[in-house]
Amino acid sequence: MSDAEPGSGTGSGGGRGTGGGEAAQPRLGGPIRQRRRALDLTLAQVARRTGLSVPFLSQIENDRARPSMRSLQRIADGLETTAVELLASADPVGHPVDIVLALDDAGLSPGSGVRPLVRGQRRLHALEFTGDQQADREFLHPDDELMYVADGAAEVEADGRLYRLDRGDTLYLAGGVRHRWRSTSPGTRVLVVAVSGHAAAAPPAGRRD
């Protein structure tokens, strides 16, 4: 399946600089399985909710395949949570000071174009998006968020308006503002920083919150 890459390759970043030794590979399978069981759902039911196959979901739960960010978002929707929460649960940390190295393993399939910049259950979430990003999802955050275009350009639809952002521009979004965004030039890199809460995708039409 094109949304995942089998295997368990890790980044070569070495130690974290936190005194905890070398980096452990984030494993999304456990949090996904725990969330599914907490909702008393079968793999077949999650497959129907997400449009992903049962074998693919089983491989993810057993850490034999990695989802892309898009597949992880679909799984999170089906499990009534968020991709950010699943990523945080996959890599819990307790250090007051923690380093995420450029080559650290994010637990997603290679080429996903998404990298968590903050690991574990924190009061702040941050993601780096690189490459092509499409405005095919609408998001609704209960808490405030900041978007910064480090390279390239992006467009954001928010509060009924279209905002065009170039390199070095920032956009602040208050909690409760529905928005979607996309990259508009090759090599775009966008940093998204949000107060911890639920960086949730808005439910599709006809679906309950």
Side-chain angles (χ1 to χ4, degrees), residues 104-127:
D104 279 352
D105 190 350
L108 297 168
S109 65
S112 287
V114 182
R115 184 170 72 98
L117 302 179
V118 177
R119 300 182 304 126
Q121 301 284 353
R122 301 292 196 179
R123 296 176 62 186
L124 188 76
H125 291 307
L127 295 171

Side-chain angles (χ1 to χ4, degrees), residues 10-192:
T10 60
S12 57
R16 298 280 188 184
T18 59
E22 290 195 355
Q25 175 190 336
R27 296 186 179 274
L28 284 161
I32 290 172
R33 181 170 55 251
Q34 291 169 12
R35 179 65 181 173
R36 175 176 64 80
R37 289 176 175 174
L39 294 175
D40 197 25
L41 295 172
T42 66
L43 280 172
Q45 288 172 317
V46 177
R48 286 194 294 271
R49 288 184 174 201
T50 62
L52 302 173
S53 71
V54 169
F56 179 46
L57 291 169
S58 177
Q59 287 181 332
I60 291 173
E61 284 198 0
N62 289 285
D63 292 309
R64 293 197 299 268
R66 297 176 176 222
S68 66
M69 188 63 174
R70 183 165 298 185
S71 288
L72 185 62
Q73 288 170 332
R74 290 164 70 179
I75 292 169
D77 289 346
L79 297 178
E80 301 171 14
T81 184
T82 68
V84 169
E85 289 298 317
L86 292 174
L87 284 168
S89 298
D91 197 3
V93 294
H95 303 293
V97 177
D98 188 53
I99 296 174
V100 176
L101 301 176
L103 295 180
D104 279 352
D105 190 350
L108 297 168
S109 65
S112 287
V114 182
R115 184 170 72 98
L117 302 179
V118 177
R119 300 182 304 126
Q121 301 284 353
R122 301 292 196 179
R123 296 176 62 186
L124 188 76
H125 291 307
L127 295 171
E128 178 188 66
F129 295 84
T130 57
D132 182 44
Q133 302 292 332
Q134 298 298 319
D136 55 356
R137 293 175 64 87
E138 184 179 68
F139 292 91
L140 176 64
H141 303 249
D143 299 299
D144 297 358
E145 176 186 11
L146 182 74
M147 298 182 67
Y148 169 70
V149 180
D151 291 297
E155 287 184 347
V156 184
E157 297 177 40
D159 203 24
R161 295 184 59 186
L162 180 65
Y163 300 88
R164 293 181 172 86
L165 305 177
D166 293 315
R167 181 180 178 183
D169 292 345
T170 63
L171 179 71
Y172 179 88
L173 295 163
V177 175
R178 290 177 180 267
H179 59 280
R180 65 176 71 234
W181 71 275
R182 69 184 184 95
S183 56
T184 56
S185 70
T188 293
R189 183 162 59 99
V190 175
L191 309 184
V192 177

